[in-house]
Amino acid sequence: MKNIYLDHAATCPTDPEVVNAMLPYFTENYGNPSSIYSISRTTRNAIEDAREILAKAIGASSGEIVFTSGGSESDNFAIKGVAHALREKGRHIITSQIEHHAVLYTCKFLEKNGYDVSYLPVDSAGIVKMDELEKAIRRDTILITIMHANNEIGSIQPVREIAEIAKKHKIAFHTDAVQTFGHIPVNVNELNVDLLSISGHKFHGPKGVGALYIRKGTKITPLIHGGDQERRRRASTENVPGIVGLGQAVEIAPGIMSDEMKRQAQLRDTFIGKILNTIPDSRLNGHATQRLPNNINISFKGIEGESILLNLDMFGIAASTGSACSSSSLEPSHVLLAIGLDHELAHGSVRFSLGKHTTLEELDRVAEILPGIIKKLRAMSPLYNQ
Amino acid sequence: MKNIYLDHAATCPTDPEVVNAMLPYFTENYGNPSSIYSISRTTRNAIEDAREILAKAIGASSGEIVFTSGGSESDNFAIKGVAHALREKGRHIITSQIEHHAVLYTCKFLEKNGYDVSYLPVDSAGIVKMDELEKAIRRDTILITIMHANNEIGSIQPVREIAEIAKKHKIAFHTDAVQTFGHIPVNVNELNVDLLSISGHKFHGPKGVGALYIRKGTKITPLIHGGDQERRRRASTENVPGIVGLGQAVEIAPGIMSDEMKRQAQLRDTFIGKILNTIPDSRLNGHATQRLPNNINISFKGIEGESILLNLDMFGIAASTGSACSSSSLEPSHVLLAIGLDHELAHGSVRFSLGKHTTLEELDRVAEILPGIIKKLRAMSPLYNQ
Amino acid sequence: MEQYSEKVMDHFTNPRNVGTIENPDGIGRVGNPICGDVMELQIKVKDNVIVDAKFRTFGCGAAIATSSMATELVIGKSIDEATKITNKVVAEALDGLPPIKMHCSNLAEEALEAAIKDYREKQKS
Amino acid sequence: MEQYSEKVMDHFTNPRNVGTIENPDGIGRVGNPICGDVMELQIKVKDNVIVDAKFRTFGCGAAIATSSMATELVIGKSIDEATKITNKVVAEALDGLPPIKMHCSNLAEEALEAAIKDYREKQKS
Ligand SMILES: Cc1ncc(COP(=O)(O)O)c(C=O)c1O
Ligand SMILES: Cc1ncc(COP(=O)(O)O)c(C=O)c1O
């Protein structure tokens, strides 16, 4: 039985081309990029090439790119870094209720340390309420951080509109593009953002490497102090193979994107249609069209997500859930609650996230298997009476 | 002409065995360790195995190990993390004048943010003055951070004695063991430390991965907030290949260590003897015996380090210098100034750091070439009259 | 997440005694959909011995497996013996549960308590 | 660190006009060992033309290369022409310097200034 991997939003396999690009930088070209001797020139050039590639892909200049250890570090760096640098100017931050924990818990941390944070609500499709944004802005607002697209329900936020408001009020604007970069077009000038987080492993790059775009002129305090690397914005001997891998992943990603976007969006819509038609009391979470091409999130009434996943796993199908049972807290997904689901439906959600290797056949197989699983679990449920 | 790499303290090539151990975790075993489906079991187990290996190597239990992105993050995490967690208890930190920038600049950052920092002086051999430590301790001292061995001059600090004093006063004690782990014995119980930083690429592991040992019961605030990874002490999808590589590097390191330590110490002493004998007005920096087996640091009167390095580089020899010219500041090494060197001698220093592949032949070749280079540069120098 | 034991997976995959009993002598319903698990246990009692038990559970793998195991443990036991079946007993019978899932075994203990209480009250009336 | 140009490396490896002049007509010594570079420039002047120049420099690759280049540029020039040799001229003649090394080219300009000043003062006396 072939495995069917439908959890690309959690992580993707590293592309073999990416691994190949990385390999020489482990054993052969190992020189520390900061050193002056000639064997370090190769590594120095390699990371600058990767920087150039990424900068070009998002419409930035290479001096605006800082490599990090992943999406979480980028988010922490952006938010804590701007909050600290501008602390004399103000201590109010605006974010949304549906951010990734890397943003949300960073904001909670700042709240406990002298900052005020407003958490904007979203509508039932998971889109930030723009009228609430205008209302939330204060004289001392220094940062708005709202994600480009949500990792659980795929809803794409009106980042350009948010940026316009941020610009009008001269407030720094960060967006977490971890789920979008490599999947849909991401251009820092079109989006008009000041800071933007990305993470390598979400688009077939290596784990443990990411980047933060920092628009020229944006004030930011480092998160990791020390050496002079990354123009003194992020200390530590550079993860050369990781950075090279990230660059290579960027090179392959945008090339396939526009066709691949369409293909995935079609697969997504076909699958959603089949499931909603064949399984009663199921509902799509997130926006019907303003949605990541690879994201499917469905709630099944009366049953719990982890038990669905375990059943899928027996068929070699990998997916994820917003149920509390897959986290270490007792609360189900804050995102699903924010769009108005009751706890039972939030616990009963499953996310299928597609990748470039996902086929119609795979999804058809899942669509065939899933109704039986749902039926079996519902027969066992005291909350569902057929 | 074969290259002679004598800058292992800056970074080491990743061992081919390490790369081989990592490879399956890029393309095959790519599952997110936090996921519940079976394909993630392999990655979950792999990082727990690596944790176990590292824990065992330093005498810790695996719950006390947090994987990070390298030595700098470990240092920042340890120092900022304890400083924040204990801020209600006190705001005084003790460190030394010869710490790595990842410690020093983190302390400077805290100084600007409401903390007091005492920078202990060292003697002319680069050993922290223990009587100064006792004097520096205050009622509100919450953390002592003093490195295990210095990265520039190799001097090994009396960590056990420092720990004893720290324990007596119930002060948390962190040591930066980035230059020692994998090179000399490092055991957290013998050293009696509460926190200890390591970095993979300094002992033939991959770049971009490190660890922080945190003794059970030590209060610490995360540096990177977000997901529940690393028992909620360090958010972000784990760098699985990197962590596996680190584990593999640990497995090979201690095995060869005691013999290799002796071999390198012998090479070191032979080389030092030859240089000091054949080149007039040269001096060894750092302690003669209480010193890393792979560290050689020599100052040459009247000439500047970068120009020595460039000349060595023409012979394919890679080394480093404490001269300002190799950094982006105008100041020479703070370590060399702290041990009492005048600026001229500090600018004229060269560090040769050996590795497990370094041979007597290589060092002999350097010892042959170096006198000519020094002579040539001195003939050009207005500060040196033969 | 930590892994489930084989026993847990067995009881999750092939849960024993799923469903309801006609004219049950005791019903226990515990848990809360807010927390993600609800269990209903029904028992049939003859001469103070539990002769049948059936469950329905909304919950994760651990919740379903503990429910199933609890019914197996309880059938054939006297009411008094059954009251001694604690969450620990259930978890041990499953060769343990991952730490963050231990609370699921409470569900089974509580459902059993509730069912026995219901049975006793019905006896009184 | 950014890379040196081929010209810089050439002048660093084979520095022109190293040393001192017997009975120089002007000497300029600038820089400071504290900052890591010191340069001494000696010139020989005939009929207001610099007919020889020699340098000795304590410093990095850029400092040595700019010293060497400065002597080459200056030889054969009249004193007036020589005063027009700025740090920019020297750096450009070397096909540029890495940004963090630009200050090294000041050294050459300053040494030249100092040597010419010394020459002029000696003329007066
Ligand atoms: C939207 C979003 N932000 C941030 C992150 C964190 O990225 P990483 O796990 O690479 O640190 C993720 C994924 O985990 C994500 O989906
Ligand atoms: C003593 C010491 N501490 C910390 C570091 C930082 O390690 P990394 O560059 O892996 O972040 C280094 C090396 O650069 C070091 O030598």
Side-chain angles (χ1 to χ4, degrees):
Chain A
M1 187 185 63
K2 234 190 111 255
N3 284 322
I4 301 178
Y5 184 71
L6 293 174
D7 202 14
H8 290 85
T11 195
C12 302
T14 309
D15 220 280
E17 276 186 68
V18 169
V19 180
N20 282 339
M22 295 170 74
L23 281 178
Y25 295 93
F26 287 109
T27 47
E28 281 166 57
N29 306 324
Y30 56 82
N32 190 318
S34 307
S35 302
I36 68 166
Y37 33 78
S38 25
I39 63 156
S40 287
R41 204 164 299 152
T42 329
T43 51
R44 199 152 56 238
N45 292 343
I47 62 177
E48 293 316 317
D49 287 350
R51 201 186 305 281
E52 194 70 54
I53 290 166
L54 175 56
K56 226 176 129 195
I58 61 171
S61 72
S62 53
E64 297 174 316
I65 304 289
V66 174
F67 290 115
T68 68
S69 68
S72 301
E73 186 189 325
S74 295
D75 287 342
N76 276 258
F77 178 19
I79 297 169
K80 293 177 190 170
V82 171
H84 186 270
L86 301 184
R87 68 195 183 288
E88 301 306 339
K89 212 183 137 199
R91 306 216 173 174
H92 179 240
I93 295 169
I94 298 173
T95 185
S96 84
Q97 290 175 1
I98 60 160
E99 297 299 310
H100 188 268
H101 282 160
V103 168
L104 219 50
Y105 289 164
T106 300
C107 288
K108 298 259 175 226
F109 170 74
L110 289 175
E111 260 189 309
K112 280 196 235 139
N113 288 276
Y115 291 81
D116 262 6
V117 182
S118 303
Y119 300 89
L120 298 182
V122 295
D123 64 20
S124 61
I127 307 290
V128 165
K129 292 185 175 160
M130 290 300 289
D131 48 336
E132 300 279 342
L133 172 58
E134 279 277 18
K135 278 191 259 167
I137 289 175
R138 309 191 324 203
R139 250 164 203 278
D140 61 341
T141 306
I142 49 172
L143 176 68
I144 297 173
T145 170
I146 289 174
M147 69 202 317
H148 191 192
N150 182 269
N151 47 305
E152 294 187 39
I153 55 174
S155 304
I156 299 171
Q157 305 302 322
V159 168
R160 246 178 319 217
E161 286 79 354
I162 298 169
E164 216 166 281
I165 294 173
K167 286 281 123 69
K168 198 174 77 189
H169 295 272
K170 297 200 167 54
I171 300 168
F173 178 32
H174 166 250
T175 196
D176 174 341
V178 166
Q179 287 292 336
T180 52
F181 180 77
H183 299 278
I184 61 173
V186 172
N187 181 295
V188 293
N189 299 314
E190 279 169 30
L191 295 176
N192 202 7
V193 295
D194 300 311
L195 304 116
L196 181 140
S197 303
I198 75 162
S199 181
H201 69 104
K202 304 286 188 183
F203 57 99
H204 301 281
K207 292 178 172 68
V209 62
L212 182 65
Y213 159 78
I214 306 171
R215 188 177 292 277
K216 206 172 170 228
T218 307
K219 293 209 171 59
I220 188 162
T221 304
L223 182 68
I224 300 181
H225 289 87
D228 289 340
Q229 292 90 353
E230 300 294 299
R231 299 187 170 195
R232 299 198 181 174
R233 289 168 303 184
R234 204 268 186 187
S236 195
T237 305
E238 296 89 342
N239 175 0
V240 182
I243 291 169
V244 168
L246 183 79
Q248 182 63 34
V250 174
E251 291 243 79
I252 348 186
I256 56 155
M257 240 166 52
S258 75
D259 281 0
E260 181 57 19
M261 255 173 72
K262 273 193 219 134
R263 192 189 72 91
Q264 288 186 18
Q266 255 161 21
L267 287 183
R268 172 195 73 187
D269 294 338
T270 309
F271 183 79
I272 292 172
K274 270 188 202 142
I275 297 302
L276 298 188
N277 275 332
T278 55
I279 303 181
D281 294 319
S282 57
R283 58 159 278 168
L284 178 70
N285 298 316
H287 199 281
T289 56
Q290 204 171 311
R291 163 180 215 105
L292 284 172
N294 68 339
N295 177 289
I296 296 161
N297 190 310
I298 296 178
S299 279
F300 301 97
K301 202 175 154 14
I303 55 177
E304 187 277 334
E306 194 211 69
S307 59
I308 306 174
L309 294 197
L310 289 172
N311 273 291
L312 286 168
D313 189 38
M314 287 177 215
F315 292 94
I317 300 164
S320 78
T321 174
S323 170
C325 291
S326 82
S327 78
S328 40
S329 80
L330 287 176
E331 274 291 293
S333 154
H334 63 286
V335 175
L336 297 177
L337 297 181
I339 60 171
L341 259 57
D342 62 25
H343 278 69
E344 186 192 320
L345 270 177
H347 283 296
S349 74
V350 178
R351 177 186 70 183
F352 301 97
S353 48
L354 322 185
K356 60 180 176 182
H357 302 302
T358 304
T359 63
L360 181 59
E361 289 66 43
E362 287 181 328
L363 292 178
D364 279 350
R365 192 165 149 69
V366 177
E368 231 170 74
I369 288 167
L370 195 56
I373 292 175
I374 303 302
K375 205 163 177 185
K376 174 182 149 190
L377 288 170
R378 280 180 174 167
M380 232 187 273
S381 169
L383 303 183
Y384 196 84
N385 293 309
Q386 263 126 333
Chain B
M1 187 186 59
K2 233 191 112 255
N3 285 321
I4 300 179
Y5 185 70
L6 294 174
D7 203 15
H8 290 86
T11 195
C12 301
T14 310
D15 220 280
E17 277 184 69
V18 169
V19 180
N20 283 338
M22 294 170 73
L23 281 178
Y25 295 92
F26 287 109
T27 47
E28 280 165 59
N29 306 323
Y30 57 82
N32 191 318
S34 307
S35 303
I36 68 163
Y37 34 77
S38 24
I39 64 157
S40 286
R41 204 164 298 152
T42 329
T43 51
R44 199 153 57 238
N45 291 344
I47 63 178
E48 293 316 317
D49 287 350
R51 201 186 306 280
E52 194 70 52
I53 290 166
L54 175 57
K56 225 177 129 193
I58 61 171
S61 71
S62 53
E64 297 174 316
I65 304 289
V66 174
F67 290 115
T68 68
S69 69
S72 301
E73 185 190 324
S74 295
D75 286 343
N76 276 259
F77 178 19
I79 297 168
K80 293 178 189 169
V82 170
H84 186 270
L86 301 183
R87 69 196 184 287
E88 300 307 337
K89 211 183 138 199
R91 307 216 174 175
H92 179 239
I93 295 169
I94 298 173
T95 184
S96 85
Q97 291 176 0
I98 60 161
E99 297 300 311
H100 188 269
H101 282 162
V103 168
L104 219 50
Y105 290 162
T106 300
C107 287
K108 298 256 176 231
F109 171 74
L110 289 176
E111 260 189 309
K112 281 196 235 139
N113 287 277
Y115 291 80
D116 262 7
V117 182
S118 302
Y119 300 89
L120 298 182
V122 295
D123 65 20
S124 61
I127 308 289
V128 165
K129 292 185 175 160
M130 290 300 288
D131 48 337
E132 300 279 344
L133 172 59
E134 280 276 16
K135 276 191 262 168
I137 290 174
R138 309 189 326 202
R139 250 167 202 278
D140 62 341
T141 307
I142 49 170
L143 176 68
I144 297 174
T145 170
I146 288 174
M147 69 200 320
H148 192 190
N150 182 269
N151 47 304
E152 294 189 37
I153 55 174
S155 304
I156 298 172
Q157 305 302 321
V159 168
R160 248 177 318 215
E161 287 79 352
I162 297 169
E164 216 165 280
I165 295 172
K167 288 280 122 73
K168 200 174 76 189
H169 295 273
K170 297 198 168 55
I171 300 167
F173 178 32
H174 165 249
T175 196
D176 174 341
V178 166
Q179 288 292 336
T180 51
F181 180 76
H183 299 278
I184 62 173
V186 171
N187 181 295
V188 294
N189 298 313
E190 279 169 29
L191 295 176
N192 202 6
V193 296
D194 300 313
L195 304 115
L196 182 140
S197 303
I198 77 162
S199 181
H201 69 103
K202 304 286 187 181
F203 57 100
H204 301 282
K207 292 178 172 69
V209 62
L212 181 65
Y213 159 78
I214 306 170
R215 187 177 293 279
K216 210 177 165 222
T218 306
K219 293 208 170 59
I220 188 162
T221 304
L223 183 68
I224 300 180
H225 288 86
D228 289 339
Q229 292 91 351
E230 300 295 296
R231 298 184 169 202
R232 299 198 181 172
R233 288 168 303 183
R234 203 267 185 189
S236 194
T237 305
E238 296 88 343
N239 175 359
V240 182
I243 290 169
V244 167
L246 183 80
Q248 182 63 33
V250 173
E251 290 244 77
I252 349 186
I256 55 154
M257 237 166 50
S258 74
D259 281 0
E260 181 57 19
M261 256 173 73
K262 274 192 219 134
R263 192 188 73 90
Q264 289 186 17
Q266 255 163 23
L267 288 181
R268 172 195 75 189
D269 293 339
T270 309
F271 183 80
I272 291 171
K274 271 188 201 142
I275 297 302
L276 298 187
N277 275 334
T278 54
I279 303 180
D281 295 318
S282 58
R283 58 158 276 166
L284 178 69
N285 298 315
H287 200 281
T289 55
Q290 203 171 313
R291 169 181 210 103
L292 283 173
N294 69 338
N295 177 289
I296 295 160
N297 189 310
I298 297 177
S299 278
F300 302 97
K301 203 176 151 18
I303 54 178
E304 187 277 334
E306 194 211 70
S307 60
I308 307 174
L309 293 198
L310 289 173
N311 274 291
L312 286 169
D313 188 39
M314 287 176 214
F315 292 96
I317 300 164
S320 77
T321 174
S323 170
C325 292
S326 82
S327 78
S328 39
S329 80
L330 287 175
E331 274 292 294
S333 154
H334 64 286
V335 176
L336 297 176
L337 297 180
I339 61 171
L341 260 58
D342 62 24
H343 277 70
E344 186 191 323
L345 271 178
H347 282 297
S349 74
V350 178
R351 176 187 70 184
F352 302 97
S353 47
L354 322 185
K356 60 181 176 181
H357 304 300
T358 305
T359 62
L360 181 59
E361 289 67 44
E362 288 181 328
L363 291 178
D364 279 350
R365 189 164 152 70
V366 178
E368 231 170 72
I369 289 166
L370 196 55
I373 292 174
I374 304 300
K375 205 163 176 186
K376 174 182 148 191
L377 288 171
R378 279 179 175 167
M380 233 188 271
S381 170
L383 303 182
Y384 196 84
N385 293 308
Q386 261 123 336
Chain C
M1 213 192 72
E2 242 179 289
Q3 220 171 302
Y4 285 136
S5 70
E6 270 178 44
K7 270 250 178 78
V8 171
M9 286 311 293
D10 175 35
H11 275 266
F12 170 71
T13 324
N14 308 298
R16 333 295 201 240
N17 309 308
V18 173
T20 50
I21 293 175
E22 244 177 81
N23 301 320
D25 298 313
I27 299 181
R29 186 178 170 120
V30 295
N32 190 326
I34 291 184
C35 302
D37 38 29
V38 176
M39 176 176 174
E40 189 186 274
L41 178 68
Q42 306 194 345
I43 51 174
K44 191 95 205 157
V45 184
K46 255 199 192 123
D47 301 334
N48 224 34
V49 168
I50 298 174
V51 292
D52 199 7
K54 293 236 188 268
F55 81 92
R56 290 194 305 165
T57 291
F58 164 88
C60 66
I64 291 173
T66 50
S67 302
S68 164
M69 179 52 88
T71 57
E72 278 215 328
L73 288 173
V74 94
I75 293 174
K77 294 254 184 343
S78 72
I79 290 291
D80 278 359
E81 284 167 338
T83 55
K84 285 175 201 140
I85 297 174
T86 62
N87 58 350
K88 243 181 105 184
V89 173
V90 179
E92 270 165 21
L94 287 165
D95 295 342
L97 286 171
I100 63 163
K101 293 291 186 181
M102 279 307 293
H103 69 274
C104 294
S105 58
N106 294 338
L107 203 65
E109 181 183 324
E110 286 165 19
L112 184 57
E113 264 174 32
I116 291 174
K117 196 173 160 222
D118 182 49
Y119 163 73
R120 282 179 172 152
E121 269 162 20
K122 276 181 184 151
Q123 291 302 96
K124 275 185 222 159
S125 57
Chain D
M1 212 190 72
E2 240 179 291
Q3 219 171 302
Y4 286 137
S5 69
E6 270 179 44
K7 271 250 177 78
V8 171
M9 284 313 292
D10 174 37
H11 276 265
F12 170 71
T13 326
N14 309 297
R16 335 293 201 244
N17 308 308
V18 172
T20 51
I21 294 173
E22 247 178 78
N23 301 321
D25 297 313
I27 299 183
R29 186 177 169 121
V30 296
N32 189 327
I34 291 185
C35 303
D37 38 28
V38 177
M39 176 177 175
E40 188 186 275
L41 178 70
Q42 305 194 346
I43 51 173
K44 191 92 204 158
V45 185
K46 257 201 189 122
D47 302 332
N48 223 34
V49 168
I50 298 175
V51 293
D52 199 7
K54 293 237 189 267
F55 82 92
R56 291 194 303 165
T57 291
F58 164 88
C60 64
I64 290 172
T66 50
S67 302
S68 163
M69 178 53 87
T71 58
E72 278 216 325
L73 288 174
V74 95
I75 292 173
K77 295 257 184 341
S78 72
I79 289 289
D80 278 357
E81 285 168 336
T83 55
K84 286 175 199 138
I85 297 174
T86 62
N87 56 353
K88 240 180 109 185
V89 172
V90 180
E92 270 166 20
L94 287 166
D95 295 341
L97 285 172
I100 64 163
K101 294 291 187 182
M102 279 307 293
H103 69 275
C104 294
S105 59
N106 294 338
L107 203 66
E109 181 182 324
E110 285 165 20
L112 185 57
E113 265 175 32
I116 292 174
K117 194 172 163 221
D118 182 49
Y119 162 73
R120 283 180 171 152
E121 267 161 23
K122 278 180 183 151
Q123 291 302 94
K124 279 185 217 157
S125 59

